[in-house]
Amino acid sequence: MSAPVFRERAAAGQASGLLVLHHGRGADEHDLLGLADALDPAQRLHVVTPRAPLQIAGWPGNHWYLVPRVGYPDADSFHAAYALLGEFHDELWQRTGISPAKTVLGGFSMGSVMSYAVALGGDRPAPAGILAFSGFIPTVEDWRPQLAERSGVSAFIAHGRNDPVIGVDFAHSARDQLVAAGLDVDYHEFAGGHEIDPAQIPAARNWLADVIA
């Protein structure tokens, strides 16, 4: 599988960290790029937004994996995207000179699922944090989160209480798993649906600044 197309927004000066934002189902690399300035208005971070590898007949945009059932990605397409992102992140760290310890992996919906996966996979370096908007920790064949090895990772979770696509119970499960493993979790629930709630952005911005610092 070829390297993903991506967009990036450079830091205003020397970058103090790296933020990789993975888009949701049916979107592309442009979708979350505008979130960069909202989350990092001082432009302290180098921000990168990759495009998912799949295009599905009858569906718009790009997808990270096939969805036979919410919460349970198709194994083959999930593992292909997981490997693709692993190589992409490795190349980013080498190219930018920014370490995993100064990196936050985040995204929306399916993109936050992949952020959880590559941040918690035992064969991947631990990032500084996970920024999860409306997602879940996946249940998939031949992958499971290695939480005992991630106690130093912080997580920000925001999820709509009335989400009709990915129910809020998935956010509760992710929060409870991470807290039980000793991760620092900043959890936010709002009276909305499957969306990035603008009211959660200030809290996410403050969390991001603290994690990178």
Side-chain angles (χ1 to χ4, degrees), residues 13-178:
Q14 182 174 356
S16 58
L18 176 66
L19 173 62
V20 187
L21 294 172
H22 307 95
H23 66 78
R25 182 181 187 181
D28 62 21
E29 71 278 11
H30 300 277
D31 189 53
L32 297 182
L33 191 63
L35 197 58
D37 285 341
L39 292 171
D40 177 38
Q43 299 186 349
R44 297 172 56 241
L45 307 179
H46 191 97
V47 183
V48 180
T49 58
R51 180 196 296 175
L54 293 181
Q55 290 187 310
I56 301 173
W59 287 86
N62 290 73
H63 306 247
W64 293 103
Y65 54 80
L66 301 177
V67 184
R69 176 183 169 196
V70 175
Y72 300 81
D74 165 73
D76 289 344
S77 54
F78 169 87
H79 284 292
Y82 182 89
L84 178 75
L85 281 178
E87 293 179 3
F88 180 72
H89 294 159
D90 289 344
E91 291 170 0
L92 267 181
W93 290 322
Q94 182 177 21
R95 176 168 65 86
T96 64
I98 303 170
S99 70
K102 285 289 186 179
T103 299
V104 168
L105 302 177
F108 170 68
S109 189
M110 186 179 279
S112 73
V113 176
M114 295 311 302
S115 299
Y116 275 129
V118 293
L120 301 176
D123 60 337
R124 299 299 305 152
I130 304 164
L131 181 62
F133 292 108
S134 303
F136 55 82
I137 297 174
T139 299
V140 61
E141 184 180 356
D142 294 328
W143 181 90
R144 56 175 40 89
Q146 299 299 315
L147 298 176
E149 304 170 4
R150 295 295 190 263
S151 60
V153 178
S154 297
F156 182 96
I157 299 173
H159 208 109
R161 197 172 298 117
N162 302 307
D163 191 332
V165 178
I166 297 175
V168 73
D169 287 349
F170 283 107
H172 297 165
S173 176
R175 175 196 61 196
D176 294 347
Q177 288 182 67
L178 298 179

Side-chain angles (χ1 to χ4, degrees), residues 173-188:
S173 176
R175 175 196 61 196
D176 294 347
Q177 288 182 67
L178 298 179
V179 169
L183 279 71
D184 181 24
V185 178
D186 190 354
Y187 181 83
H188 296 259

